Amino acid sequence: MKGRESDRMTTCADAIIEAARSWEGDFHWREMVRHLYRMYPSKPWKENTIYAHLVGLSVKR
């Protein structure tokens, strides 16, 4: 699967988009952090980075 630990070129935004596509329903940003840290055990991004990207990628409803 694209975007795993071996893919060093994956950006935080790309990882979030990939994870969100497989997600059903709404989620809290901390759930996404936990999910990304399971996908990328080396934790290449800080929580604040993930949060900032989630805000930037969000759509207001």
Side-chain angles (χ1 to χ4, degrees), residues 21-52:
R21 283 186 178 142
S22 65
W23 206 284
E24 291 186 25
D26 297 334
F27 55 86
H28 190 272
W29 73 272
R30 288 196 186 273
E31 291 175 299
M32 180 58 75
V33 169
R34 285 191 296 269
H35 184 70
L36 289 175
Y37 284 172
R38 280 192 301 271
M39 289 174 65
Y40 299 89
S42 67
K43 299 181 180 179
W45 309 287
K46 294 180 181 179
E47 284 189 19
N48 289 341
T49 301
I50 297 169
Y51 178 77

